[in-house]
């Protein structure tokens, strides 16, 4: 059995979720290859039932130059499944990445995301095959192939929706 609460003043009920992780330590790229700028660890069995969902929101900013910059969110660590990506050469661009992970079974999830970086919008969708009974990491990464410091991670939250 799970906890249910009324949705506002309606007779409809919902299962409450909440924020699992909040990372707000600013971090700039220090090299010219993809690097992890923030990490959120999701404990084992968080996505215990089919339909359980994680929603990730990550914010980045870029330097005041026209160099290429890529902001990315991955599920399963630095080499994990791409959840959301944005690449731009925009000057002083703001990046807003949103991703969703929905449990389909004990070892599969639907993964999708959308992002805006500067004036460029992207969307992704794929399936991941990670064991959801084990702890998993969600990482925010940055790639700045021209110069270190061209991209800065600002904040990320991971929300759980049962």
């Amino acid at each position: 059995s799970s906890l249910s609460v009324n949705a506002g003043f309606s007779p409809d009920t919902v299962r409450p979720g909440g924020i699992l992780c909040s990372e707000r330590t600013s971090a700039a790229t220090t090299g010219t290859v993809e690097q992890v700028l923030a990490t959120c660890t999701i404990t084992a069995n968080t996505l215990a039932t089919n339909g359980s969902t994680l929603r990730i929101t990550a914010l980045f900013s870029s330097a005041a130059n026209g160099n290429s910059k890529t902001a990315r969110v991955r599920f399963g660590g630095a080499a994990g499944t791409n959840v959301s990506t944005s690449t731009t050469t925009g000057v002083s661009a703001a990046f807003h990445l949103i991703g969703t992970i929905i449990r389909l079974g004990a070892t599969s999830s639907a993964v999708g995301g959308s992002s805006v970086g500067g004036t460029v919008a992207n969307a992704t969708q794929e399936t991941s095959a990670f064991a959801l009974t084990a702890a998993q990491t969600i990482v925010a990464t940055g790639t700045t192939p021209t110069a270190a410091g061209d991209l800065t991670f600002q904040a990320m939250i991971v929300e759980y929706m049962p």
Side-chain angles (χ1 to χ4, degrees):
S1 142
S2 63
L3 174 68
S4 294
V5 296
N6 281 60
F9 293 106
S10 80
D12 296 332
T13 58
V14 296
R15 293 177 295 171
I19 295 176
L20 290 177
C21 177
S22 177
E23 180 58 59
R24 298 175 308 279
T25 303
S26 178
T29 55
T30 59
T32 57
V33 297
E34 184 176 13
Q35 67 185 98
V36 173
L37 301 174
T39 301
C40 285
T41 300
I42 307 304
T43 58
N45 296 310
T46 296
L47 297 178
T49 58
N50 293 351
S52 295
T53 302
L54 298 177
R55 180 174 49 208
I56 304 114
T57 303
L59 305 173
F60 297 78
S61 61
S62 76
N65 62 48
N67 295 342
S68 178
K69 308 136 185 110
T70 301
R72 181 175 283 122
V73 172
R74 292 184 180 274
F75 177 62
T81 300
N82 179 44
V83 176
S84 185
T85 301
S86 184
T87 300
T88 188
T89 56
V91 176
S92 300
F95 292 78
H96 185 181
L97 283 67
I98 299 173
T100 305
I101 301 165
I102 303 170
R103 177 191 157 121
L104 301 176
T107 59
S108 68
S109 299
V111 178
S114 60
S115 61
V116 176
T119 58
V120 179
N122 297 295
T124 59
Q125 192 282 322
E126 56 188 282
T127 302
S128 74
F130 290 98
L132 300 174
T133 54
Q136 296 293 338
T137 56
I138 295 171
V139 297
T141 69
T143 307
T144 51
T146 306
D150 278 351
L151 182 71
T152 301
F153 166 82
Q154 300 295 335
M156 177 169 63
I157 59 170
V158 178
E159 300 167 90
Y160 170 70
M161 295 174 280

